[in-house]
Amino acid sequence: MNSTPRQRRLTTATVTALTLAVAATACSSGSGSAETKGAGSGTYTLWDPYPQFDKSSPWAKLLDRCAAKSGVKIKRTAFDTSDLGNKTLLAAQQGNSPDVLIVDNPVVSTLADAGVLTTTDDNKLDTSKVDPNLLAAGQSDGKTYGTPIGANTLALYYNKEVLKKAGVDIASVKDWTSLTAALAQVKKAGKKGITFSAIGTEEGSFQFLPWFWGSGAKLTELDSSQAVSALSLWKDWLKRGYAPNSVLNNTQTTSWQEFVSGDYGFSENGTWQLAGAKKAGFDYGVLPIPAAAGGKAAAPTGGEFVTLPVQKDTGRYATSQKLATCLTSTGNLYDTDTTLSYVAPTSEVQGKQVVANAELKPWVDAVKAARGRTSDDLGTKYPKISEQMWKAVQSALSGSKSPKDALSSAQAAAK
């Protein structure tokens, strides 16, 4: 390696920002136990946020195959997503970073800002086949800090039976006006319109973003007229009884539980619910979230990046790069993303996924329209903006403030 990023001091503010960034976003996973970094030049450490996969899982076997191909052994440690970022910062402070780190995409910019990660210019990871909108989630200040292993995002699930009885033609739902009209028809037919998560955490911001971006709003202007229109849409749905008041406390999991009761026409949720949808006991479909005036709204991307942390022994980078390349190769991405219920980050593998499972087509479309939360060079600014966003959503939906006042306060605080 010719150069490595300059090590920066890891401050309390950095740790706080990281904690906010990883809190309860896209898909969830169980808890895992940490291990120390493996010793010996022939052993390379890898940390991931997949404690649900044990040593016998396809994921663990892929790691072993990639290690064997690179002529080394992998010592894997799995952490819960919410723990992994902070563990990584601590390891960097101690000079004990893993060789390969797989981390939730909004955390990448925070780790990069702290000087924990090498750039793709340094580590020579090839990202040329990755869809640009997905790669953007791992970019900061014009530099790229890894490559996505896969992506998930949000769309609208709908109950075909509920919509049929309400006389709703799903093909007519193309924008906010037609969607709201469909919700009115569902309510008139004696069912419930739509459920989503507006909880006061990153999860609530994650679910609000498609409507926020679909209005044409920008995260640097939380109080724009477009942003107010998005929050007013949600507020109006609650006022008219098209969405339940429970959305204020709903996580994406509890929101999903409401939908699979069979009483709702629509549910905003993610790719990770596909398995549950097939077990719901009713026929369902998936529709990309519409933008205000039609077309597909940009939804936020979930999923992880494969990154290579800074090492004191720069001689380790070459093998680490081989391991990362193996994990994200075209030949392995299909199996990996099938295991993780992700959409692949490259058009080539996405096409293979749709051929194997036509139900993934709307999700591929949604991912192609998706946007990284830290894109547009927001980087470490995003967690603070997001916190003010979810607070504004809570204030408006609870009735303590109007959408306009709530977002004006949010913008002032975000500055």
Side-chain angles (χ1 to χ4, degrees):
M1 302 299 295
N2 295 325
S3 63
T4 59
R6 178 174 59 88
Q7 288 280 17
R8 303 172 192 169
R9 186 178 180 182
L10 305 180
T11 65
T12 300
T14 300
V15 175
T16 301
L18 182 60
T19 301
L20 289 171
V22 302
T25 56
C27 59
S28 62
S29 58
S31 60
S33 58
E35 299 178 12
T36 56
K37 185 173 180 178
S41 59
T43 300
Y44 280 67
T45 55
L46 179 145
W47 290 3
D48 68 44
Y50 313 131
Q52 69 271 37
F53 299 130
D54 62 20
K55 293 181 179 179
S56 65
S57 67
W59 169 247
K61 291 178 180 178
L62 171 60
L63 297 181
D64 290 339
R65 289 198 303 272
C66 286
K69 185 177 179 180
S70 302
V72 297
K73 293 182 180 180
I74 279 184
K75 185 172 185 179
R76 174 202 175 208
T77 305
F79 294 91
D80 182 82
T81 298
S82 59
D83 293 333
L84 181 55
N86 290 329
K87 294 288 188 182
T88 300
L89 286 171
L90 180 61
Q93 285 179 318
Q94 298 171 341
N96 195 34
S97 294
D99 294 290
V100 180
L101 173 68
I102 302 175
V103 66
D104 199 17
N105 72 68
V107 178
V108 173
S109 59
T110 299
L111 294 178
D113 186 68
V116 175
L117 304 178
T118 60
T119 70
T120 53
D121 286 339
D122 291 327
N123 59 45
K124 308 306 177 187
L125 275 177
D126 182 10
T127 61
S128 60
K129 293 183 179 180
V130 178
D131 287 353
N133 65 316
L134 301 182
L135 190 62
Q139 295 174 327
S140 181
D141 293 330
K143 297 180 180 179
T144 304
Y145 291 89
T147 187
I149 200 166
N152 54 32
T153 194
L154 297 166
L156 295 179
Y157 287 87
Y158 58 90
N159 185 320
K160 292 184 177 181
E161 183 179 352
V162 169
L163 297 192
K164 182 179 180 180
K165 289 183 177 179
V168 174
D169 178 4
I170 193 63
S172 70
V173 179
K174 298 179 178 180
D175 53 25
W176 289 2
T177 299
S178 54
L179 174 58
T180 300
L183 300 182
Q185 287 179 249
V186 170
K187 183 186 177 187
K188 186 177 180 180
K191 290 292 187 177
K192 301 175 182 178
I194 187 169
T195 180
F196 49 88
S197 170
I199 194 170
T201 67
E202 171 63 19
E203 205 161 348
S205 290
F206 188 75
Q207 289 240 318
F208 182 59
L209 276 171
W211 312 97
F212 182 87
W213 283 330
S215 73
K218 299 179 180 179
L219 286 171
T220 51
E221 299 177 47
L222 293 177
D223 58 350
S224 68
S225 59
Q226 295 95 333
V228 172
S229 71
L231 188 48
S232 296
L233 178 74
W234 271 19
K235 175 67 175 177
D236 186 58
W237 285 352
L238 264 68
K239 181 180 178 181
R240 295 175 182 270
Y242 300 162
N245 289 326
S246 58
V247 300
L248 279 160
N249 297 309
N250 270 347
T251 63
Q252 292 175 115
T253 298
T254 56
S255 171
W256 181 253
Q257 290 168 350
E258 288 180 337
F259 179 64
V260 296
S261 70
D263 290 332
Y264 286 84
F266 295 88
S267 171
E268 179 184 356
N269 228 295
T271 326
W272 55 93
Q273 303 291 11
L274 276 172
K278 293 177 181 178
K279 299 176 182 178
F282 54 79
D283 200 7
Y284 74 94
V286 177
L287 177 75
I289 296 171
K296 301 179 184 69
T301 56
E304 291 78 42
F305 265 61
V306 181
T307 67
L308 303 185
V310 172
Q311 303 292 334
K312 291 181 179 179
D313 179 4
T314 58
R316 300 181 69 83
Y317 290 136
T319 298
S320 297
Q321 188 264 5
K322 289 180 181 179
L323 292 170
T325 298
C326 179
L327 293 175
T328 57
S329 68
T330 297
N332 289 327
L333 273 177
Y334 176 80
D335 291 336
T336 297
D337 289 330
T338 298
T339 298
L340 297 173
S341 293
Y342 283 173
V343 172
T346 68
S347 295
E348 182 179 0
V349 182
Q350 289 168 2
K352 186 177 179 181
Q353 288 181 303
V354 172
V355 169
N357 181 4
E359 293 179 355
L360 286 176
K361 179 63 168 62
W363 289 107
V364 169
D365 290 343
V367 163
K368 283 187 174 297
R371 183 183 301 178
R373 283 164 277 175
T374 58
S375 297
D376 302 323
D377 254 347
L378 287 179
T380 55
K381 298 176 184 176
Y382 172 75
K384 186 174 183 179
I385 293 171
S386 175
E387 181 181 10
Q388 298 309 318
M389 175 183 284
W390 81 59
K391 287 181 177 179
V393 170
Q394 285 271 304
S395 294
L397 297 192
S398 67
S400 63
K401 290 183 180 180
S402 69
K404 183 177 181 180
D405 289 345
L407 288 169
S408 292
S409 297
Q411 178 64 18
K415 284 185 176 181

